[in-house]
Amino acid sequence: MEANKEVIQREGYFANLLRMQKFNQDDIYTKALVKFDSFSSTLICLTGGSAIAKHTSSANACIQVISGTGACRLGSQDIVLEPGVFVFIPPSVEHSLAADTDLSFLLCLAH
């Protein structure tokens, strides 16, 4: 379902994230689902063996794993990523992600 911002705010939005997954060799696929000034939600798919290097964000962030397995380094914590795992990432906390297998998750940012 593709909708503009006004329609989403008025009527809502839904998507089947499993059907939206795309895995490209040595690549990261992202699909913005909703984007507002204060909130965004993005589907991210990492091909097995790929990674997102250590970084920080100025926003509150959370990830919800949809499929696959991997690892998240959050500050000094090592977190196993698998379907059903939820991670909250406060602003300015260093974090990184690595995919052991094809890994997809929903990233939500609150600005």
Side-chain angles (χ1 to χ4, degrees):
M1 174 181 182
E2 295 289 330
N4 66 37
K5 190 183 292 189
E6 291 77 24
V7 172
I8 290 172
Q9 287 179 313
R10 187 177 61 247
E11 299 177 14
Y13 176 80
F14 67 93
N16 184 322
L17 301 179
L18 291 173
R19 291 184 183 159
M20 295 176 74
Q21 296 177 108
K22 290 185 183 178
F23 298 99
N24 303 315
Q25 187 175 6
D26 301 323
D27 203 8
I28 297 172
Y29 172 78
T30 63
K31 172 70 175 170
L33 302 173
V34 238
K35 187 171 184 177
F36 300 107
D37 292 338
S38 62
F39 176 82
S40 64
S41 185
T42 304
L43 172 65
I44 299 180
C45 300
L46 299 173
T47 302
S50 63
I52 298 175
K54 187 181 346 180
H55 64 284
T56 62
S57 172
S58 60
N60 283 300
C62 62
I63 63 171
Q64 172 69 53
V65 179
I66 299 164
S67 68
T69 59
C72 174
R73 178 78 172 170
L74 177 62
S76 61
Q77 302 175 79
D78 290 317
I79 301 163
V80 174
L81 299 177
E82 60 188 8
V85 170
F86 171 86
V87 180
F88 172 73
I89 306 166
S92 303
V93 173
E94 286 188 339
H95 55 283
S96 61
L97 297 148
D100 296 331
T101 64
D102 288 352
L103 175 70
S104 68
F105 57 91
L106 183 64
L107 170 67
C108 296
L109 299 173
H111 308 279

